[in-house]
Amino acid sequence: MCVQANPIGDVPLRQAEVDEIFLHLTGRWVLQILMALNRGQMRFTCLRRAIPKVSANVLTARLRELETARLITRTNLPPPTAYQVYELGPLAQELRPALDHLERWKMQLSE
């Protein structure tokens, strides 16, 4: 049985779990979602504005997949706000340097 070190310090991840996480990272719109959440917590409507070409149904599906893969977390805020916010989860926190670099590269390409 192959085991991978877990960056959040819990139980080590098995190779199959690591492969599953990598499969999620290669999905359509996933990189854009992670890059948007790298800027901080966001509500669903803010994510839709940050990624205008993604449909609401696809965004919802990707957010659920990323939450299941523990790459993002969803928090229900208490009343009177009573809405949900998404943010990078502990596993995706390790991707921050790469996401920052991709954001800078994206800005250079658009200049």
Side-chain angles (χ1 to χ4, degrees):
M1 170 183 355
C2 295
V3 178
Q4 182 75 21
N6 187 343
I8 57 175
D10 294 340
V11 178
L13 295 174
R14 291 192 173 93
Q15 188 62 47
E17 292 172 309
V18 173
D19 290 343
E20 184 72 21
I21 290 168
F22 269 79
L23 283 175
H24 286 291
L25 287 173
T26 60
R28 187 167 168 97
W29 302 109
V30 169
L31 188 55
Q32 291 90 335
I33 293 168
L34 293 177
M35 288 174 68
L37 292 176
N38 191 38
R39 298 179 204 128
Q41 288 184 340
M42 293 181 120
R43 292 172 48 187
F44 182 85
T45 53
C46 294
L47 277 168
R48 282 286 316 273
R49 276 187 241 125
I51 314 165
K53 293 183 180 180
V54 67
S55 71
N57 289 340
V58 171
L59 180 58
T60 299
R62 291 301 170 267
L63 289 171
R64 286 181 184 152
E65 291 168 7
L66 292 171
E67 187 177 6
T68 300
R70 297 179 293 156
L71 290 167
I72 66 169
T73 58
R74 176 179 44 143
T75 305
N76 294 314
L77 297 180
T81 57
Y83 56 81
Q84 300 172 340
V85 293
Y86 297 91
E87 62 187 322
L88 294 179
L91 288 174
Q93 294 285 340
E94 297 292 320
L95 295 174
R96 278 192 184 276
L99 294 170
D100 290 337
H101 182 75
L102 285 170
E103 186 69 36
R104 286 191 302 274
W105 183 63
K106 178 182 167 187
M107 298 305 284
Q108 288 175 348
L109 288 176
S110 62
E111 291 178 349

